[in-house]
């Protein structure tokens, strides 16, 4: 057995990620497409694979079907074999001591049987929500070297953002001596990435202690630092929580420059194209005479007749003649009609933008969405899965067009003003 | 129908001299095509879509690339209790000490495999054409006519016909008719129907013909088996095919057929044809979406995931992992996996095999020279030096050592070994 390969991995993939709004209307956050051909969870799964770890449990809860189909047998990440594998662990209601997952620690507690059935020295607990590259083998080595009970992956973030995270104060040995969960007034800039290594025996003991401790950051860690060995494992690379529309969009845009901070292929991140179950393969992208494509990422199967600037296109996107796609993220098999403009928008799968329609119009980017002002306030317009945007319509900034929207839903309007939405009826 | 009734045998063994350096290290059927696939993906996809799931591939020339490409067969769903792709390499036993001496000999040497499966029809296909065909229609016709052999033909211009096996077909049915004559590569052809090497046999007759053919000294389906069956007045039918047919036998044909992939409404539409390849081969499934930089220009071209383009690409096909730097220009060219075109390099009418590096400011091919025979071919793993000048119609052998490059450059039609 290779050194470091004996840890069991538990991947928390149950979060709703509700700030991603209609992008998580029918899928869990880890299953949200990212970077053209990936889903967010591919980054965590590939990091696990590239760290030489071979046994993974994926804890699902919220709308898991898309995620389960994506993970499949786990073959895409080399998790198949006699002693290798990825298992989906849904909550089991109705059993004694089992119910919906109440929090991170509770979710792990409900799967103690899985941990016991897969003997290990350490358990690595991750979330499937982040875009990053990390070598967990090195983190496990560090954990053993420090003889730690818990090791937490931590990174420096701007103080203005620390209120979103668990924050740790460390001594010069990197031992965590104080902890604040989502502090209003930060005393440190060292934030938890939600990546934990536990000694397995310690984890089992801790979880058995008090069932009211349902969250690692809120309950387990603060208690542990008082009397056990809890260390910070410093991480210095690129790491993004793509939990908001703005950060999701920014992180996609980070893929585009020549010297991009994200290099999925170099990082060894693996997608699972076969999970889509298409009867044929995506052919290479086609660039028709007269097209203009610059500073963009284009996936196979796309056909570009018009203009694409500073955008990320998933497979099978068709941009018709005289159409312009700018500063946008377009998911699989969307169709941008002739002369249409898509500007600063995220279009989910199989969206059809009618000829001459404008999605993302006007300079009033700072007028937030009326229904979800906390979700859309930077100008980004969202178009839901399989929505049909009628020809010629003008849609403003920070708008939401619901998944499956039909032209009738616009009731003959030729303008959807900034901040307005077509929501579920 | 669980157990398959049709056995397909793909003739994939050959290396064709005219494709030159592209087939130094791989059989013709494994030559990359279409920006991400291989030539053999076309017949394999046709078989899959025709519901024919029991397949043997006869292969003897440098099979590794082909074996690697076929993998488990899962890419074409040909994996299961009654589904599968078997690769049949040549072997020695105490009856036969030979390599495959020809296509018919290859099948003959594997007759025990064929008999074991006891098929109702045997479909013999060439592994090196670009086309989309539903073999079921032809097999249905074959069975309706109770034929001993049904062969598919395509109508060609008389002046082109002499390169092929040429037949005259009776106008018996809309789909085809009895073969009136068959000539292999005739100087002045009587017919205008060219053989596609898509042959459907009645097994018992095929076994007999192959046995008789062993007494001869030539073992080819086109040259020997079909004429032998005509001579014996067996029930041989021609099935008329009307779709697109692309040849890849010479570098010119390969280049021309590749160009049919381009345009707003291409003659070869791989997604419409339902094409599948093995995405595990060279791990192309793991390539990130292609990146186009601020200076990138793509015009009437196709490119797969994994490419990085910051230069100009016109009328060209880029396989995964090709890089075109800012200020470089690629025109009318086909670049296989992981080519790298450095700043200021200019390529025109070039077919370049995998892992070739074009140095800064080099010139390969000559713009405006677009007559046949003027495609320049670069073998794999080459480092074209900075500022090198290579004319049109040149050939560069694979993996040249850096000191082999002539300082004066290469004139048109030159071959560098």
């Amino acid at each position: 057995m290779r050194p470091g390969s004996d840890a069991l991995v538990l991947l928390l993939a149950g979060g709703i990620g509700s700030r991603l709004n209609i992008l998580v209307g029918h899928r869990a956050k880890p299953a949200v497409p990212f970077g053209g051909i990936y889903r967010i969870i591919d980054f965590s799964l590939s990091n696990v694979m590239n760290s030489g770890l071979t046994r993974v449990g994926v804890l699902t809860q919220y709308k898991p079907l898309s995620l389960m189909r994506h993970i499949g047998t786990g073959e895409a990440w080399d998790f198949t074999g006699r002693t290798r594998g990825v298992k989906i662990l849904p909550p089991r209601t109705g059993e004694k001591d089992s119910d919906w997952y109440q929090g991170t620690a509770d979710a792990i507690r409900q799967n103690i049987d899985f941990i016991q059935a897969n003997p290990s020295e350490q358990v690595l607990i991750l979330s499937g929500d982040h875009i990053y590259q990390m070598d967990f083998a090195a983190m496990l080595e560090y954990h053993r070297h420090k003889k730690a009970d818990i090791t937490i992956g931590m990174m420096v973030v701007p103080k203005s953002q620390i209120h979103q995270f668990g924050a740790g104060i460390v001594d010069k040995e990197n031992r965590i001596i104080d902890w604040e969960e989502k502090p209003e007034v930060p005393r440190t800039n060292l934030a938890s990435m939600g990546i934990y290594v536990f000694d397995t025996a310690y984890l089992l003991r801790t979880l058995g202690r008090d069932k009211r401790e349902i969250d690692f950051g809120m309950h387990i860690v603060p208690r542990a630092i008082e009397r056990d060995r809890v260390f910070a494992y410093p991480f210095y690379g690129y790491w993004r929580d793509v939990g908001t529309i703005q950060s999701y969009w920014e992180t996609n845009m980070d893929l585009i420059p020549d010297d991009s901070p994200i290099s999925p292929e170099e990082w060894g991140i693996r997608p699972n194209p076969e999970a889509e179950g298409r009867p044929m393969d995506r052919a290479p992208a086609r660039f028709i005479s007269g097209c203009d494509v610059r500073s963009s990422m284009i996936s196979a199967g796309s056909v570009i007749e018009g203009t694409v600037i500073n955008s990320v296109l998933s497979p099978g996107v068709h941009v018709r003649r005289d159409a312009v796609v700018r500063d946008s993220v377009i998911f699989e098999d969307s169709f941008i009609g002739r002369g249409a403009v898509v500007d600063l928008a995220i279009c989910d799968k199989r969206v059809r933008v009618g000829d001459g329609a404008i999605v993302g119009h006007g300079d009033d980017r700072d007028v937030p969405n009326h229904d979800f002002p906390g979700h859309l306030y930077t100008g980004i317009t969202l178009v839901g899965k399989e929505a049909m945007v009628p020809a010629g319509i003008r849609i403003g900034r920070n708008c939401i067009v619901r998944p499956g929207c039909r032209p009738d839903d616009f009731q003959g309007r030729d303008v959807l003003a900034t901040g307005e939405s077509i929501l579920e009826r | 129908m669980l157990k398959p009734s049709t056995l397909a045998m793909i003739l994939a063994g050959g290396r064709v001299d005219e494709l030159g350096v592209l087939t130094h290290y791989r059989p013709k059927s494994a030559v990359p095509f279409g920006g991400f696939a291989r030539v053999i993906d076309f017949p394999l996809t046709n078989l899959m879509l025709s519901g024919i799931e029991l397949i043997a591939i006869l292969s003897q020339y440098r099979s590794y690339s082909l074996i690697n490409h076929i993998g488990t067969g899962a890419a074409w769903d040909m994996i299961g209790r009654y589904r599968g792709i078997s690769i049949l390499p040549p072997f020695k036993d105490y009856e036969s000490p030979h390599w495959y001496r020809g296509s018919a000999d290859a099948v003959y040497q594997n007759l025990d495999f064929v008999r074991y499966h006891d098929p109702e029809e045997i479909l013999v296909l060439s592994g090196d054409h670009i086309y989309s065909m539903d073999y079921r229609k032809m097999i249905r016709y074959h069975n309706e006519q109770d034929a001993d052999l049904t062969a598919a033909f395509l109508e060609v211009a008389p002046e082109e016909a002499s390169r092929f096996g040429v037949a005259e077909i009776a106008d018996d049915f809309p789909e085809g008719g009895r073969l009136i004559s068959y000539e292999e590569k005739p100087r002045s052809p009587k017919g205008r129907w060219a053989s596609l090497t898509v042959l459907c046999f009645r097994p018992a007759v095929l076994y007999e013909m192959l046995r008789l053919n062993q007494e001869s000294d030539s073992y080819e389906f086109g040259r020997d088996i079909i004429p032998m069956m005509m001579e014996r007045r067996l029930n041989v039918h021609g099935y008329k095919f009307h779709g697109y047919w692309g040849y890849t036998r010479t570098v010119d044909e390969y280049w021309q057929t590749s160009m049919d992939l381009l345009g707003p409404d291409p003659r070869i539409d791989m997604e419409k044809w339902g094409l599948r390849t093995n995405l595990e081969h060279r791990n192309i499934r793991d390539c990130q979406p292609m990146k186009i930089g601020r200076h990138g220009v793509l015009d009437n071209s196709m490119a797969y995931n994994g490419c990085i383009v910051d230069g100009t690409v016109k009328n060209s096909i880029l396989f995964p992992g090709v890089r075109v730097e800012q200020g470089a220009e690629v025109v009318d060219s086909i670049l296989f996996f992981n080519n790298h075109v450095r700043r200021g390099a200019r390529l025109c009418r070039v077919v370049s095999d995998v892992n070739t590096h074009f140095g800064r400011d080099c010139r390969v091919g000559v713009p405006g020279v677009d007559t046949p025979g003027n495609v320049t071919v670069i073998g794999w793993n080459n480092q074209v030096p900075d500022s090198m000048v290579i004319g049109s119609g040149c050939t560069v052998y694979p993996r040249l050592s850096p000191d082999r490059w002539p300082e004066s450059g290469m004139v048109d039609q030159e071959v560098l070994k």
Side-chain angles (χ1 to χ4, degrees), chain A residues 42-89:
Chain A
D42 293 344
F43 288 77
S44 298
L45 284 173
S46 301
N47 287 335
V48 169
M49 172 186 76
N50 294 328
S51 303
L53 303 171
T54 57
R55 293 176 299 160
V56 184
V58 178
L59 281 66
T60 61
Q61 170 152 285
Y62 173 80
K63 302 202 173 173
L65 291 183
S66 163
L67 189 61
M68 287 163 65
R69 191 184 59 180
H70 179 68
I71 291 173
T73 62
E75 200 183 351
W77 303 275
D78 205 17
F79 294 137
T80 49
R82 286 280 291 277
T83 57
R84 314 162 70 84
V86 54
K87 297 278 186 302
I88 302 283
L89 303 172

Side-chain angles (χ1 to χ4, degrees), chain A residues 117-180:
Chain A
N118 289 278
S120 62
E121 292 294 312
Q122 279 88 30
V123 176
L124 171 67
I125 296 169
L126 308 170
S127 95
D129 293 359
H130 303 130
I131 302 301
Y132 65 119
Q133 181 203 29
M134 189 166 171
D135 179 2
F136 300 128
M139 183 175 176
L140 284 159
E141 189 51 46
Y142 176 95
H143 173 88
R144 290 174 198 129
H145 177 74
K146 293 282 188 189
K147 297 188 166 47
D149 297 308
I150 309 176
T151 301
I152 305 175
M154 302 195 85
M155 64 183 295
V156 171
V157 302
K159 279 209 169 177
S160 60
Q161 290 175 22
I162 204 89
H163 64 93
Q164 307 166 29
F165 299 96
I169 292 159
V170 296
D171 67 12
K172 58 183 188 305
E173 304 293 323
N174 275 340
R175 184 165 177 172
I176 300 174
I177 51 171
D178 203 354
W179 185 267
E180 298 174 302

Side-chain angles (χ1 to χ4, degrees), chain A residues 311-351:
Chain A
S311 296
V312 177
L313 270 55
S314 286
V317 173
H318 194 149
V319 179
R320 291 281 278 138
R321 258 177 48 202
D322 304 320
V324 179
V325 175
R326 196 187 301 117
D327 300 333
S328 293
V329 181
I330 315 283
F331 291 1
E332 273 181 46
D333 294 314
S334 285
F335 180 92
I336 315 299
R338 272 190 180 208
V341 176
V342 176
D343 185 277
L344 193 56
I346 301 170
C347 294
D348 207 320
K349 291 185 180 186
R350 295 185 290 280
V351 161

Side-chain angles (χ1 to χ4, degrees), chain B residues 211-396:
Chain B
R211 193 181 57 78
L212 291 169
N213 173 247
Q214 284 294 304
E215 289 157 23
S216 137
D217 56 1
S218 167
Y219 313 91
E220 299 295 339
F221 279 101
R223 195 189 310 153
D224 308 301
I225 303 294
I226 301 177
M228 187 198 277
M229 293 179 73
M230 292 296 286
E231 217 169 88
R232 282 161 202 269
R233 301 188 173 280
L234 295 173
N235 190 14
V236 179
H237 276 257
Y239 175 82
K240 296 174 179 174
F241 178 75
H242 299 286
Y244 176 88
W245 198 272
Y247 291 97
T248 58
R249 205 163 29 179
T250 64
V251 169
D252 275 322
E253 278 180 355
Y254 177 85
W255 183 88
Q256 190 58 55
T257 301
S258 293
M259 289 298 132
D260 288 340
L261 293 156
L262 300 179
D265 192 14
R267 299 180 71 194
I268 306 172
D269 189 331
M270 294 184 286
E271 290 211 22
K272 213 179 268 175
W273 289 9
L275 188 76
R276 283 202 209 169
T277 186
N278 183 0
L279 299 174
E280 313 255 332
H281 192 192
R282 295 191 75 100
N283 291 322
I284 62 171
R285 54 179 291 160
D286 299 331
C287 292
Q288 67 183 23
M290 74 176 295
K291 271 179 98 156
I292 299 153
R294 270 182 303 156
H295 313 95
V297 175
L298 286 140
D299 182 10
N300 190 39
S301 293
M302 86 191 324
Y304 198 71
N305 295 350
C307 292
I308 301 176
V309 175
D310 205 19
T312 298
V313 177
K314 246 175 120 166
N315 304 330
S316 294
I317 294 161
L318 309 183
F319 281 73
V322 170
R323 286 191 63 182
V324 180
E325 290 186 3
Q326 183 191 342
E329 195 179 272
V330 177
V331 180
D332 296 342
S333 294
I334 300 151
L335 306 184
F336 292 2
F337 306 85
N338 299 339
N339 271 253
H340 187 164
V341 186
R342 297 293 305 276
R343 222 171 248 257
R346 289 204 190 150
L347 277 57
C348 185
R349 281 175 87 85
V350 174
V351 176
S352 175
D353 207 332
V354 302
N355 298 338
T356 286
H357 186 107
F358 292 89
R360 283 183 175 215
D361 301 313
C362 70
R363 298 275 177 280
V364 185
V366 181
V369 182
D370 50 6
T371 43
N374 282 317
V375 175
T376 287
V377 195
I378 314 285
W380 75 11
N381 294 291
N382 271 312
Q383 305 274 333
V384 179
D386 289 357
S387 307
M388 181 76 194
V389 177
I390 300 176
S392 72
C394 293
T395 301
V396 176

